[in-house]
Amino acid sequence: MAKTKKSTKRFVQNKLKGVLERRKQYKKKKELYGGGKPKGKKIPEHYKQKEEEDNTENLITEEDEDLWDEIENGEDNEVEDEEEEEDDDEMEEEELEEEDNEEEEEEEDINEIEEHKKQLEELKEKDPEFYKFLQENDKELLAFGNDEGNEEEEEVEEAPETEMDEEEEEDIPKAKQLTKFMIINWQKQIVEKNSLKSTRKMILALRAAAAIDEEYAEGKEFGFAIDNISIFNKLVLTAVKYITPVFNYHLNYTEDSKQLPSQSKKWSKVQPLVKHYLQNIIRLLKQLTDQKILYFVCKNSQAAVKYFACFPKLSKEYLKLMLNFWAVSEEKIKIVSFLNIRSLSLCSSQLMNISLKGIYLAFVRNCKATSIHTWTIINFMMNCVVELYGLDFVASYQTAFVYIRQLAIQLRNAIILKKKESFRIVYNWQYVHCLRLWSRLVTTYCDYTTGTDETENLLFSLIYPITQITIGTICLVPTSRFFPLRFHCIRALLEIHEKTRTYIPVAPYLFEVLNSSEIQQKAKASTLKPFDFRFNIKANKSYLHTRVYQDGLAEETLSLLLHFYAQSSNSIAFPELVIPAQIQLKRFIKKSKNIKVNKQVQQLLEKINQTSAFIESQRSSVDFSPSEKEKVMAFERAINPKETPIGKYFNSIKKIQERKEQDAANMNEAKGVPNKTNNNKNSKKNKNKKQAKEERKQEIEEDESEYEEVDNEVNDSDFDEMDEDNDMDIVEDFVLSDDE
């Protein structure tokens, strides 16, 4: 019988019981959470039910107020977190123990052989005859030796306390100092041989690198120690770039494959390493502050997106991080993060639904502050949302319908309650950007020029509710201070009208502005800067009844009227369509005494009359009736709106406006240069702060007086006949902004 080794005795005495207990617990957890099943046995029904629940678990609940909280705070099952940490620790401890045991066994074997040889040499000198006898009858004894084991047992019995102290010291794994030579050696083995052994060592080193957070590292032991930032950077860059191809090699998996890596037959071989690697990537992403390394990790982690999809919990954590980076990071990281979100959403329908909800909520959270500096970023984020919603029309329709319905409920509450708080929920930048977002969604994927069939694309069904909500927003508070918000809504409607060829009568809402007292009455002189309608939804009270604001209103109104009629200039019914406009414009010219505005209105009226005559001349030769829709559509397609008289005029005006906007942007950039003079610097800062506070107080007071005016105009009797059943279908509102 072979001798029992010293390391084996220590293991049996100190660790065997704990290892067996951990393995039993680990086996039960794997069976319970779908990670495995007992061989030769069927999975019990309650295990199957639990597995189905895990597969259908969503990061975002159905309650609207909790949707973003689950993404932001990561409310996950505490039991799963504990199990993941236990599995992580078990893997680390077992691997380190295996390495330590191998090293101890090698050292013990060498020591035993050397001692055995010395004993044999002494025996040969003292008793040659007995040594010769052993050579003839028991060669195995001469080869391996047998006496040393008994001596060790006696030593253990004589001095148990000393031996136990030594064992406790030996049981504590000492962290190895990581060097660049070790990383280069691992990289060479990984690149040339796709070595899983080197990959495992690099993952263990990456675990130590990811332990930047002191709370996470507290009370835990790591196989490697990193005390140099250059080594940390080298390890992170090497691991993120080269580890994923090793997994692809051993699974015979390609990035173009439509299946997930978990469906490979060899998945069980690399599954623990993959999970351990992905966990460390997530920890790194949470703690990295260097933008260059963060960009590199995000960019190269895209190769591991499908591996994230194999683990539902890790995929949700990774998605949450990418959404945060997409919302608040610099431009390069925004782009890479969105590409990762897009790739992850294509892995499964569950991840698609979570991505659609998460990216919308991230957009809403980060479009509150709107200015000339953030307008480009908001447009970029809006385009990203539209791009993601174009991947799956069915899922996009379901998600978009829920959030459009929320906007409708908030608008309905504001109309019914007529309170300042309810008005503020609607009249803010977040609500306006949401309307712009959904308008852009339908204009992108319901474009009539692409020949998309309404029966194939469910997004066509969203055009009507979006239009109704936008018109309701225009009419909610029809005062002159909120004319800028009205213009933003009308631009969204004009975009829908142009792309989808859905007729939306926006002209009446523009004529309301043209006939308002703000334009009709005589304006007072002012030294205020020209009001920028692009980046404002409300005018300060100081602008009201001023020449600056009046000229800006007239210019914006006539520009939007021109845009609307230019879009419809190829309609066969254009002469009849513009009759109300001709009457309104002629009446305005007679009443108005503003020569500058009258000249612009007269030009618009002339172009409308010319286009009307042009369409009448074109349709005079047709031989079909208005009921023949196909021939009517063919007539309209034959006329290019840009080639009509009003279309040409609109294009020339549009170029002038674009040139003005570019000049204004250049002036703002020039003004943004910091002043090099330091004279009276502190006094100017204090004055600016005081002015800002006073302006803020004044705006709040103006808001309250504005809303109070609207409250006074509303009669309760106007709503007595409203159907009581309207409140039966209320869901919990998702407040898009604060009252501030």
Side-chain angles (χ1 to χ4, degrees), residues 71 88 148 196 248 262 346 371 389 397 400 440 471-472 588:
I71 293 182
D88 190 4
E148 192 234 334
L196 280 178
N248 293 339
S262 59
L346 292 172
S371 64
Y389 272 71
Y397 170 78
R440 186 169 297 183
I471 292 174
F588 177 84

Side-chain angles (χ1 to χ4, degrees), residues 133-373:
F133 174 78
L134 291 176
Q135 283 181 334
E136 295 174 355
N137 297 287
D138 197 351
K139 295 181 180 180
E140 294 181 358
L141 181 62
L142 296 177
F144 298 100
N146 183 356
D147 298 329
E148 192 234 334
N150 297 330
E151 293 176 0
E152 287 179 353
E153 291 178 2
E154 292 176 359
E155 290 176 0
V156 172
E157 292 176 357
E158 291 175 359
E161 295 181 0
T162 306
E163 184 68 23
M164 287 298 294
D165 294 338
E166 293 176 358
E167 289 175 5
E168 289 177 0
E169 292 177 359
E170 291 176 0
D171 288 342
I172 300 174
K174 295 181 180 179
K176 299 177 183 177
Q177 193 67 33
L178 187 65
T179 62
K180 284 189 176 180
F181 175 77
M182 296 169 67
I183 298 173
I184 294 171
N185 186 31
W186 293 340
Q187 178 182 341
K188 183 178 179 182
Q189 294 294 322
I190 289 172
V191 173
E192 295 179 356
K193 300 180 181 179
N194 292 292
S195 171
L196 280 178
K197 184 178 180 181
S198 298
T199 303
R200 179 179 63 82
K201 291 180 180 179
M202 187 171 286
I203 291 174
L204 291 175
L206 188 65
R207 179 176 181 265
I212 304 173
D213 189 1
E214 294 181 358
E215 293 182 2
Y216 171 73
E218 186 177 357
K220 296 188 179 181
E221 298 169 353
F222 301 97
F224 297 92
I226 303 173
D227 57 358
N228 193 330
I229 188 64
S230 62
I231 294 176
F232 173 84
N233 293 339
K234 175 68 175 175
L235 173 64
V236 171
L237 301 181
T238 304
V240 173
K241 187 174 182 179
Y242 294 108
I243 286 181
T244 304
V246 176
F247 298 147
N248 293 339
Y249 173 80
H250 287 279
L251 294 175
N252 295 326
Y253 185 78
T254 58
E255 294 182 0
D256 299 334
S257 178
K258 295 182 179 180
Q259 296 181 342
L260 294 178
S262 59
Q263 297 176 352
S264 174
K265 295 180 180 179
K266 300 179 180 179
W267 173 246
S268 58
K269 180 180 178 182
V270 299
Q271 189 264 354
L273 284 177
V274 172
K275 185 177 181 181
H276 200 55
Y277 168 67
L278 298 180
Q279 289 171 344
N280 293 327
I281 291 295
I282 289 175
R283 293 192 191 105
L284 274 175
L285 290 173
K286 288 180 179 178
Q287 301 170 32
L288 284 175
T289 55
D290 191 321
Q291 296 297 307
K292 292 182 179 179
I293 297 180
L294 182 60
Y295 169 74
F296 185 86
V297 174
C298 289
K299 182 179 180 181
N300 286 274
S301 66
Q302 187 177 4
V305 162
K306 291 189 177 181
Y307 288 96
F308 276 106
C310 298
F311 304 94
K313 184 177 181 298
L314 294 179
S315 63
K316 293 170 187 176
E317 289 188 21
Y318 182 73
L319 176 62
K320 178 182 70 175
L321 290 170
M322 292 298 106
L323 287 171
N324 288 333
F325 294 149
W326 173 76
V328 300
S329 298
E330 60 183 26
E331 186 177 355
K332 291 193 304 181
I333 300 177
K334 278 179 180 288
I335 296 172
V336 174
S337 300
F338 174 72
L339 293 176
N340 293 344
I341 294 169
R342 187 182 186 277
S343 301
L344 189 62
S345 64
L346 292 172
C347 293
S348 69
S349 58
Q350 181 186 1
L351 290 172
M352 174 63 74
N353 291 327
I354 297 173
S355 301
L356 293 176
K357 294 175 183 178
I359 198 169
Y360 173 76
L361 295 175
F363 169 76
V364 172
R365 289 276 175 156
N366 292 276
C367 67
K368 184 177 180 180
T370 302
S371 64
I372 189 173
H373 305 291

Side-chain angles (χ1 to χ4, degrees), residues 313-504:
K313 184 177 181 298
L314 294 179
S315 63
K316 293 170 187 176
E317 289 188 21
Y318 182 73
L319 176 62
K320 178 182 70 175
L321 290 170
M322 292 298 106
L323 287 171
N324 288 333
F325 294 149
W326 173 76
V328 300
S329 298
E330 60 183 26
E331 186 177 355
K332 291 193 304 181
I333 300 177
K334 278 179 180 288
I335 296 172
V336 174
S337 300
F338 174 72
L339 293 176
N340 293 344
I341 294 169
R342 187 182 186 277
S343 301
L344 189 62
S345 64
L346 292 172
C347 293
S348 69
S349 58
Q350 181 186 1
L351 290 172
M352 174 63 74
N353 291 327
I354 297 173
S355 301
L356 293 176
K357 294 175 183 178
I359 198 169
Y360 173 76
L361 295 175
F363 169 76
V364 172
R365 289 276 175 156
N366 292 276
C367 67
K368 184 177 180 180
T370 302
S371 64
I372 189 173
H373 305 291
T374 60
W375 188 262
T376 305
I377 298 172
I378 292 172
N379 278 332
F380 166 76
M381 295 175 68
M382 195 178 295
N383 292 332
C384 290
V385 176
V386 172
E387 170 70 18
L388 193 65
Y389 272 71
L391 300 178
D392 187 347
F393 287 155
V394 176
S396 298
Y397 170 78
Q398 294 171 351
T399 305
F401 182 84
V402 171
Y403 293 117
I404 292 172
R405 183 170 176 270
Q406 279 187 343
L407 298 177
I409 291 170
Q410 291 164 355
L411 178 61
R412 183 185 65 181
N413 292 340
I415 293 172
I416 295 173
L417 298 175
K418 291 290 183 181
K419 300 296 182 182
K420 291 181 288 186
E421 292 77 12
S422 59
F423 288 149
R424 285 172 178 164
I425 291 174
V426 177
Y427 273 42
N428 60 71
W429 269 118
Q430 289 169 306
Y431 198 94
V432 172
H433 285 312
C434 288
L435 293 177
R436 294 180 61 235
L437 169 65
W438 299 126
S439 300
R440 186 169 297 183
L441 176 67
V442 296
T443 56
T444 303
Y445 299 111
C446 302
D447 192 346
Y448 79 100
T449 58
T450 60
T452 307
D453 190 2
E454 295 185 18
T455 58
E456 296 178 358
N457 189 350
L458 292 173
L459 297 182
F460 276 95
S461 304
L462 299 176
I463 295 176
Y464 178 75
I466 293 170
T467 303
Q468 290 297 101
I469 294 170
T470 307
I471 292 174
T473 304
I474 291 172
C475 301
L476 181 61
V477 184
T479 59
S480 58
R481 287 195 65 193
F482 291 102
F483 282 162
L485 184 143
R486 176 179 296 219
F487 294 152
H488 283 288
C489 293
I490 290 175
R491 288 191 190 96
L493 294 175
L494 289 176
E495 192 175 357
I496 296 175
H497 174 261
E498 181 180 7
K499 296 294 183 180
T500 66
R501 304 307 294 173
T502 302
Y503 178 74
I504 304 173

